[in-house]
Amino acid sequence: MNVSVNVNGQQREDDVEPRLLLVHYLRDVLGLTGTNVGCDTSSCGACSVHLDGEAVKSCTVLAVMADGRSVTTIEGLAPSADEMHPMQRAFQENHGLQCGFCTPGMVMAATSLLREIPDPTEQQVREGLEGNLCRCTGYHNIVQAVLAAAKSGGAQ
Amino acid sequence: MAHARITSIDATDAAQAPGVVGVFTLADVGLPAVPGIILLNQDVKRAPLADDVVRFVGEPIVAIVTEERYQGEDAAELVFVDYEPLPVVVDPEQALKDEVVLHEVAGTNVVMRLGEPPDEHLFDGCDVVVTERIVNQRIGIAPLEVRSAAAAWDGERLTVWQATQMPQASRDAFQAMLGLEPGQVHLIAPDVGGGFGAKTGVSGEELVMAWLARHLDRPMRWLENRTENMLAMGHGRAQIQRVTIGGTRDGQLQAYRLEIIADSGAYAGFGGMLAFMTRMMAPGVYAIPKVESTSVSVVTNTTPTVAYRGAGRPEAAAAIERAIDLYAAEIGVDPVEVRRKNLVANDAFPYTNAAGTTYDSGDYQRALDLVVEAADYQALRAEQQRRRASNDVHQLGIGVAVYVEVTGGPYAGNEVAKIEITPDGGAKVYTGTSPHGQGHVTAWSMLASEELGIPMDRIEVIHGDTDLVPVGGGTAGSRSLQLGGAAVHQASLELVELARKRAAEELEANPDDIVLDKIDGRFHVAGTPAVGKTWAELAIVEPMTVESTFQAASSTFPFGAHIAVVDVDTETGKVTVERLIAVDDAGRILNPLIVEGQRHGGLAQGIAQALCEEIVYDEDGNLLTSNLADFTFISAAELPSFELVPMETPTTANPLGAKGIGESGTIGATPAVQNAVVDALSHLGIRHIDMPTTPQRVWGAIQGAVR
């Protein structure tokens, strides 16, 4: 099937298998390997991307479902090649990552969360990120990073 | 099929499926057994693909090579295996009876026994003796990145990219199992998405992949999915313990016995070995005159067990800390007071415990004092009394644990570092450790910069490529800073010495008079800074490289004290961890941010074991928690922010004064939370609840107590 998807501001046209998952389209067809796969049950959120501006788990979306829509991945989040997005900067400054595998999904989910709740409480951050798992950080510094990003305009 | 004889494998349809390059069985590949990082018992070897018997669900039987992954999943559905079912044994206590034997050659399921026969007089003279059976449950390790590897041959040389904690050991394992010569294998560990002890050794899947890459003469990759990971990578913990503890009525401990049944899973790898570490640390932080521990490791029709963050030491701490609380409850003395009374004295170090393990340095009393103060323990007890008196639905539990563990390996270890000055005056640091989130690039740059006076951003840290770093022990067992970091420190000092000699020649001065100005990385004669030589100027004369092996004086023994505060909803059994206050003393701290991060991660995993995580099998050996929907991997919503209290007691085992911090969190937090849950309900007469303390289990305990 043909799909036409705007990915990180670029229009992409591809012929894909109907069963191809969006995450595999991004990784294997487009080579955007910043989006990771950590499970096969939509539990871990490592594959979170924005679909029309809202966080989705791209392992639970078929590539064909993205037809005519726009996708933002971690590669497309920063305003430019030498400037980080406020959420990325907050993760760096707060040591919000260790192995880094969950980080792209965590950052995408967190930016989406702040669009919904621009000034969240700690508990709202914890509950808002319940669908994004991390094995390294114990979430402590991830939560701190998101709270810090909220204060520095991470919702943009 | 958790246990069955394979009578036939029909891969005819699979071989003709779209995209299939080939389907291979053990007979096709003819590869030797895969020992893992340790083979505990020569009679219990594991073939890289199933031989004629499968012994756990998740054991690979055929390897299918396809052009694309989806084709492989389709083709796997077309492989028809006929089995003759064999009786299944999942429970290690049942396995001990040898009614079902997994490995005919061995003739028994027991793969290792440690310890002396019991002393029947061990508890003679004790006023009080308490005993309990404790299950230290099997846990999913679940690094967020599953296992993955790729292989490519260039003539007679094999390059393997593997998600591993130990690249050099993996290189050697590939070389040995493929019958290759030294130099024929190049192993690269790229960025690795978490390990936690499980990404060590070479699996059958990876070995077969490397063989197939040569056989088919094309590059090959293998990436498991999460279900395969949960089934096959390995699980942690999995001990059944019996603790027996005795002492006086006023709280003086006299004797302790720990009996361990360790579940090795279907084969005898590292998991069966962990009881050795548990026994080393059996008495923990307490000066108990008589201590006895025994272990028996058995195979069962389950996924093999492996190291998991803490690897044997959390099991020791969980047992003794639960035992202390059982004893405290029995004599009616506050658990903090019982601990205080029995801690190893501050002036006793180096201290050899009753299991024969020598602790390098410690101050357990102060760790306990600090955590009690930070938690405001008396106020918590008052709040608990208030809730009890008002018969509140939400009861408060306060759990205490004081721990000591061993890092850097059970025996004194070593590690290699090489530092090279680049022509532009920067430095390349080559390390035998292999980080996957532990921040070695930052920390090793700090260490080198500190001695060399070269800015951190001009230092490149190189790891995980066996052509660039041929010797190394990798990253595991909280070894990296105290061994690998110490090696970088030592090599830096040696490089400065070399540079001073060269600068002396260049400046026609006595080397003893040459000093390094660390602000601008420049050597000059003391007192005459105007004339000097920079690193770059010295490196132009002749390349400057130092390679150094650091040998530690001993293992190190980090310690600490944790207090957990939990809310137990007595109507539903739901436990909420409200606070976790932690003192973790890992010697001198190099980078506080990294150390805090390590503590946070360990605490979360420690709490997870006490609260919610468990690997569950049905009686036929089917894994019921085979994905992250069924395995209750802890999330941000179940955790509080952690309250960390700093404490630093240096070790003399290395010049940095550092001990390992990677695993501490899992060692203190687990018993602190479990003790807190039991403490919340102790007024009902409840003395023990096994982990994980799920609502169902806690509610059941409350119902049993009320009746």
Side-chain angles (χ1 to χ4, degrees):
Chain A
M1 286 179 80
N2 285 316
V3 288
S4 173
V5 192
N6 185 300
V7 181
N8 298 333
Q10 266 188 299
Q11 203 60 35
R12 304 283 193 153
E13 314 275 342
D14 284 289
D15 182 20
V16 300
E17 261 194 272
R19 64 174 175 173
L20 184 70
L21 298 175
L22 177 59
V23 67
H24 289 140
Y25 174 66
L26 294 170
R27 287 181 60 86
D28 300 339
V29 179
L30 303 185
L32 294 169
T33 54
T35 304
N36 289 326
V37 181
C39 73
D40 36 28
T41 48
S42 299
S43 308
C44 81
C47 64
S48 300
V49 299
H50 294 174
L51 185 60
D52 289 340
E54 202 178 326
V56 296
K57 293 180 176 177
S58 62
C59 74
T60 322
V61 176
L62 295 168
V64 293
M65 292 162 74
D67 185 41
R69 303 171 74 176
S70 72
V71 173
T72 307
T73 69
I74 190 73
E75 289 93 341
L77 190 66
S80 71
D82 41 38
E83 190 187 348
M84 279 192 276
H85 183 275
M87 187 64 74
Q88 292 172 311
R89 198 161 53 238
F91 268 67
Q92 185 194 38
E93 287 171 356
N94 289 276
H95 188 35
L97 65 153
Q98 288 178 31
C99 85
F101 195 84
C102 75
T103 313
M106 202 63 89
V107 166
M108 298 311 283
T111 48
S112 185
L113 173 69
L114 291 195
R115 261 175 225 163
E116 241 175 276
I117 314 173
D119 187 20
T121 63
E122 177 184 333
Q123 200 51 35
Q124 283 174 318
V125 173
R126 287 185 174 277
E127 281 164 18
L129 295 179
E130 192 176 7
N132 286 74
L133 300 177
C134 168
R135 203 58 163 170
C136 296
T137 65
Y139 307 100
H140 183 108
N141 286 345
I142 290 175
V143 173
Q144 294 304 311
V146 177
L147 291 172
K151 290 196 172 33
S152 70
Q156 273 75 56
Chain B
M1 288 282 166
H3 198 196
R5 193 169 299 282
I6 296 173
T7 52
S8 73
I9 300 171
D10 178 2
T12 319
D13 292 351
Q16 283 154 18
V20 172
V21 177
V23 183
F24 302 86
T25 63
L26 182 66
D28 299 321
V29 301
L31 287 162
V34 277
I37 54 172
I38 282 179
L39 176 62
L40 208 53
N41 186 314
Q42 290 297 328
D43 293 333
V44 188
K45 285 181 184 154
R46 179 174 177 187
L49 292 170
D51 49 25
D52 52 344
V53 175
V54 287
R55 297 183 177 86
F56 72 98
V57 174
E59 187 156 12
I61 298 169
V62 300
I64 305 173
V65 180
T66 57
E67 300 291 345
E68 293 169 21
R69 183 178 177 98
Y70 286 21
Q71 295 166 336
E73 301 207 5
D74 290 343
E77 298 284 318
L78 301 173
V79 176
F80 302 101
V81 180
D82 280 332
Y83 301 99
E84 177 194 321
L86 296 169
V88 171
V89 60
V90 170
D91 177 352
E93 286 173 322
Q94 285 297 319
L96 267 179
K97 295 177 184 167
D98 278 338
E99 287 165 3
V100 176
V101 172
L102 267 68
H103 300 268
E104 281 171 18
V105 183
T108 172
N109 293 325
V110 173
V111 291
M112 184 179 80
R113 273 185 197 277
L114 297 171
E116 302 297 318
D119 170 7
E120 58 191 52
H121 300 295
L122 193 73
F123 295 97
D124 286 1
C126 294
D127 299 341
V128 179
V129 179
V130 196
T131 186
E132 185 67 57
R133 176 184 182 272
I134 296 173
V135 178
N136 201 290
Q137 84 273 23
R138 186 182 272 253
I139 291 280
I141 296 165
L144 214 57
E145 179 198 43
V146 295
R147 292 179 300 172
S148 60
W153 288 80
D154 180 5
E156 287 302 301
R157 194 147 202 257
L158 166 67
T159 300
V160 177
W161 293 260
Q162 186 196 21
T164 179
Q165 301 173 220
M166 297 181 178
Q168 290 81 6
S170 281
R171 172 203 55 198
D172 296 347
F174 276 110
Q175 182 190 304
M177 291 187 289
L178 292 168
L180 302 174
E181 299 296 319
Q184 272 189 276
V185 180
H186 177 199
L187 199 129
I188 298 169
D191 288 340
V192 174
F196 309 108
K199 285 183 184 161
T200 55
V202 172
S203 65
E205 291 92 327
E206 291 159 324
L207 176 65
V208 169
M209 176 200 65
W211 183 88
L212 286 169
R214 180 158 68 174
H215 181 71
L216 297 169
D217 193 22
R218 55 190 295 183
M220 198 77 58
R221 70 173 177 165
W222 169 72
L223 169 71
E224 65 183 353
N225 64 27
R226 177 57 66 182
T227 299
E228 290 161 348
N229 175 266
M230 295 300 278
L231 285 168
M233 181 180 65
H235 300 146
R237 311 285 188 259
Q239 289 186 1
I240 298 171
Q241 305 167 330
R242 171 150 299 270
V243 296
T244 310
I245 192 161
T248 64
R249 199 143 281 286
D250 66 354
Q252 197 67 50
L253 290 172
Q254 290 167 317
Y256 175 60
R257 173 180 288 154
L258 173 62
E259 296 159 275
I260 303 163
I261 300 169
D263 184 352
S264 186
Y267 294 91
F270 196 57
M273 184 74 201
L274 297 174
F276 170 81
M277 301 290 274
T278 308
R279 292 185 67 240
M280 263 185 89
M281 301 311 297
V285 290
Y286 307 104
I288 309 173
K290 290 190 285 181
V291 174
E292 189 183 284
S293 71
T294 56
S295 73
V296 53
S297 302
V298 289
V299 287
T300 58
N301 291 118
T302 60
T303 299
T305 52
V306 297
Y308 171 55
R309 201 169 196 166
R313 295 98 81 198
E315 294 89 321
I320 185 74
E321 290 304 307
R322 205 67 276 292
I324 297 279
D325 265 29
L326 287 162
Y327 170 68
E330 186 67 24
I331 60 174
V333 175
D334 185 284
V336 168
E337 288 319 307
V338 171
R339 285 176 170 81
R340 233 175 225 144
K341 201 166 193 151
N342 292 282
L343 290 174
V344 172
N346 299 338
D347 58 6
F349 295 93
Y351 172 81
T352 301
N353 75 13
T357 308
T358 301
Y359 304 162
D360 56 344
S361 63
D363 187 346
Y364 306 152
Q365 201 75 52
R366 180 167 158 75
L368 180 57
D369 289 348
L370 282 173
V371 81
V372 162
E373 189 190 329
D376 201 355
Y377 185 75
Q378 292 311 326
L380 290 170
R381 285 288 173 210
E383 170 63 13
Q384 182 181 53
Q385 281 312 315
R386 194 193 63 73
R387 292 202 204 179
R388 283 182 180 178
S390 65
N391 205 18
D392 202 319
V393 169
H394 290 269
Q395 288 295 320
L396 193 74
I398 306 142
V400 185
V402 188
Y403 72 88
V404 58
E405 62 134 338
V406 53
T407 63
Y411 311 109
N414 57 61
E415 189 50 272
V416 173
K418 184 172 93 170
I419 307 181
E420 180 183 306
I421 300 299
T422 56
D424 63 353
K428 286 185 176 175
V429 174
Y430 299 81
T431 177
T433 66
S434 196
H436 35 284
Q438 295 88 349
H440 296 185
V441 171
T442 302
W444 286 199
S445 299
M446 286 173 71
L447 287 166
S449 178
E450 171 77 21
E451 299 305 328
L452 303 177
I454 296 173
M456 276 178 68
D457 59 6
R458 299 194 57 204
I459 296 172
E460 183 188 357
V461 177
I462 294 155
H463 59 81
D465 181 319
T466 61
D467 274 9
L468 299 173
V469 191
V471 181
T475 286
S478 302
R479 69 188 296 277
S480 290
L481 177 60
Q482 60 186 305
L483 301 175
V488 170
H489 172 77
Q490 180 172 297
S492 302
L493 293 176
E494 290 173 13
L495 192 57
V496 169
E497 277 316 295
L498 179 69
R500 285 176 67 215
K501 285 187 190 123
R502 188 169 296 174
E505 285 168 25
E506 295 294 311
L507 299 169
E508 296 174 353
N510 185 335
D512 293 342
D513 297 336
I514 300 289
V515 293
L516 167 61
D517 179 351
K518 288 183 185 174
I519 305 294
D520 56 5
R522 199 161 152 280
F523 294 85
H524 60 78
V525 176
T528 54
V531 184
K533 291 282 175 189
T534 63
W535 282 106
E537 287 164 345
L538 292 175
I540 283 169
V541 180
E542 200 181 326
M544 292 183 77
T545 302
V546 159
E547 184 162 349
S548 199
T549 300
F550 170 73
Q551 174 62 51
S554 70
S555 306
T556 60
F557 294 78
F559 62 94
H562 292 185
I563 287 181
V565 182
V566 303
D567 173 297
V568 178
D569 183 331
T570 53
E571 287 180 347
T572 64
K574 184 176 164 54
V575 175
T576 306
V577 179
E578 294 192 331
R579 295 175 65 195
L580 197 297
I581 308 106
V583 175
D584 297 298
D585 190 326
R588 195 171 290 131
I589 291 171
L590 173 68
N591 182 316
L593 203 60
I594 290 175
V595 167
E596 284 169 15
Q598 288 295 313
R599 291 168 73 185
H600 294 152
L603 292 173
Q605 282 170 297
I607 292 169
Q609 179 173 12
L611 202 62
C612 55
E613 293 183 3
E614 181 174 31
I615 289 288
V616 185
Y617 284 93
D618 71 10
E619 60 185 19
D620 297 324
N622 296 303
L623 180 59
L624 302 180
T625 48
S626 62
N627 56 53
L628 298 187
D630 295 327
F631 178 72
T632 50
F633 189 128
I634 201 158
S635 83
E638 285 99 41
L639 291 165
S641 280
F642 306 119
E643 299 169 49
L644 305 186
V645 182
M647 179 167 171
E648 294 182 59
T649 306
T651 178
T652 54
N654 62 73
L656 303 178
K659 305 182 183 184
I661 190 60
E663 295 159 287
S664 295
T666 60
I667 294 165
T670 305
V673 172
Q674 188 185 17
N675 281 345
V677 175
V678 176
D679 179 71
L681 304 170
S682 63
H683 62 298
L684 304 176
I686 290 170
R687 290 290 172 269
H688 180 73
I689 301 172
D690 266 325
M691 302 186 292
T693 53
T694 56
Q696 186 180 6
R697 197 170 274 167
V698 172
W699 187 84
I702 295 168
Q703 297 310 302
V706 170
R707 254 185 244 120

